[in-house]
Amino acid sequence: MAELITERIRRHATELRLHGIAEDPDEPIERAEAERLGYREFLDLVLESEVGVLEGRRYQARLKMAGLPHHKTLDEFDVSFQPELDPKRLAELRTLRFVERKVGCLILGPPGVGKSHISVGLAMEALARGYLVRYTTLDDLVRGPRQADALSKLSNKPAQLQRPHLLIIDEAGYVPLEHADANRVFQVVNRRYTRGSTIVTSNKTVSEWADTFGDEALAAAILDRLLHDAEVLAINGPSYRLKGRLEALRQATDRPEPAE
Ligand code: ADP
Ligand code: MG
């Protein structure tokens, strides 16, 4: 009898997409029995855990859609490694007020200082808070998924770039853009203007970066939209990427030569 009921609970839970109960209908029952829960508490427990399961699935879906290159968090970022970086500035960005305000955020600095790490860390924070996020490098943005790995890459259709609350355009300013590509950047930035927040990272200064757009008027239009009210985080400091290598080198040179 109990087995028949359990089977029916499983079926109905599946129909209602109550994934937690569908997977293990006995778990809440056993817990209710062990803790001697009343009917009201039991119903509360079941619904609460279903909401938890649903939120977890939604988070996983958002995380996948974001297309992040890795999942490093801001807790993994060692602020003390960049003495010129004001921890308060980073903490302010971490509140995600700029996402709420739908303004831009520029992260500038030489290679290896953690621009991508910070932008991904902010993305992880935004995802946890329920925002939709999308990551792309500027190169992928303008050239779109290459034929060869089109299947493995997320598509870069305009709608997909417009919908997220936070769009990250990583590695801007590396190579000069052709007019059509610069125009595509303008289209994306213009559509998102006042509608969503965009983080841009670059190892160039803003004016050097503007030069890569070729066309001055287009560059001005892009920067105008992107920089309006934007947060700017400039990281001038040592490369973390080189840190490990330099230490290894130092150890290697400090070590006395093994005797022949
Ligand atoms: P950038 O995008 O500025 O070139 P990355 O964000 O790719 O630099 O950083 C290079 C590597 O060093 C990454 O693995 C990143 O996680 C790590 N990294 C950089 N800065 C820090 C830091 N301050 N604390 C911890 N890891 C860091
Ligand atoms: Mg980077």
Side-chain angles (χ1 to χ4, degrees):
M1 185 63 183
E3 263 167 44
L4 274 179
I5 297 177
T6 303
E7 207 31 62
R8 198 165 61 216
I9 291 174
R10 220 188 272 278
R11 207 160 15 91
H12 286 158
T14 306
E15 178 84 22
L16 290 168
R17 301 205 171 94
L18 300 172
H19 301 288
I21 303 178
E23 199 170 295
D24 188 3
D26 291 327
E27 197 268 339
I29 295 170
E30 281 160 14
R31 216 175 118 189
E33 280 171 354
E35 294 174 26
R36 296 170 175 273
L37 298 184
Y39 296 123
R40 188 180 302 274
E41 290 164 305
F42 174 66
L43 189 56
D44 185 37
L45 166 85
V46 167
L47 294 181
E48 190 181 38
S49 77
E50 274 315 317
V51 168
V53 172
L54 185 65
E55 274 171 2
R57 288 170 74 106
R58 283 186 180 149
Y59 172 79
Q60 288 304 328
R62 285 197 304 279
L63 185 65
K64 195 167 164 212
M65 262 178 44
L68 297 172
H70 53 74
H71 295 158
K72 288 193 183 173
T73 64
L74 291 177
D75 288 336
E76 292 170 76
F77 188 82
D78 177 8
V79 194
S80 69
F81 186 74
Q82 295 295 343
E84 282 188 38
L85 178 62
D86 181 2
K88 274 191 243 130
R89 291 279 304 129
L90 194 56
E92 165 60 28
L93 289 180
R94 199 172 180 165
T95 64
L96 303 180
R97 258 192 283 274
F98 74 100
V99 179
E100 255 164 64
R101 289 172 50 226
K102 303 176 180 168
V103 296
C105 171
L106 221 57
I107 305 180
L108 306 173
V113 293
K115 300 181 298 297
S116 299
H117 186 143
I118 291 176
S119 58
V120 168
L122 290 169
M124 294 296 285
E125 211 80 26
L127 289 165
R129 299 246 305 254
Y131 289 115
L132 293 178
V133 176
R134 185 58 201 277
Y135 171 98
T136 175
T137 60
L138 183 81
D139 195 52
D140 282 342
L141 174 76
V142 295
R143 283 166 192 89
R146 302 221 182 355
Q147 216 57 28
D149 53 1
L151 285 176
S152 67
K153 281 228 174 113
L154 298 157
S155 106
N156 263 335
K157 291 202 192 95
Q160 263 113 343
L161 297 170
Q162 201 181 327
R163 219 174 128 232
H165 302 99
L166 176 62
L167 174 71
I168 295 166
I169 305 177
D170 203 3
E171 296 169 9
Y174 278 77
V175 282
L177 298 180
E178 285 170 21
H179 188 78
D181 290 341
N183 202 41
R184 177 153 165 74
V185 176
F186 172 71
Q187 296 302 332
V188 171
V189 169
N190 191 40
R191 276 201 209 98
R192 293 186 59 79
Y193 181 59
T194 72
R195 298 196 185 100
S197 184
T198 306
I199 293 179
V200 176
T201 82
S202 179
N203 60 5
K204 297 275 168 65
T205 64
V206 173
S207 65
E208 283 172 332
W209 178 41
D211 287 343
T212 64
F213 293 117
D215 181 325
E216 247 177 67
L218 200 52
I222 291 170
L223 292 176
D224 175 65
R225 281 152 187 77
L226 214 56
L227 291 178
H228 178 241
D229 241 2
E231 299 277 352
V232 180
L233 190 72
I235 316 173
N236 288 308
S239 164
Y240 196 90
R241 236 182 244 125
L242 290 180
K243 177 188 170 228
R245 274 184 237 157
L246 288 179
E247 271 166 12
L249 257 175
R250 209 167 293 135
Q251 274 171 14
T253 47
D254 283 352
R255 208 175 296 140
E257 289 294 310
E260 289 290 311

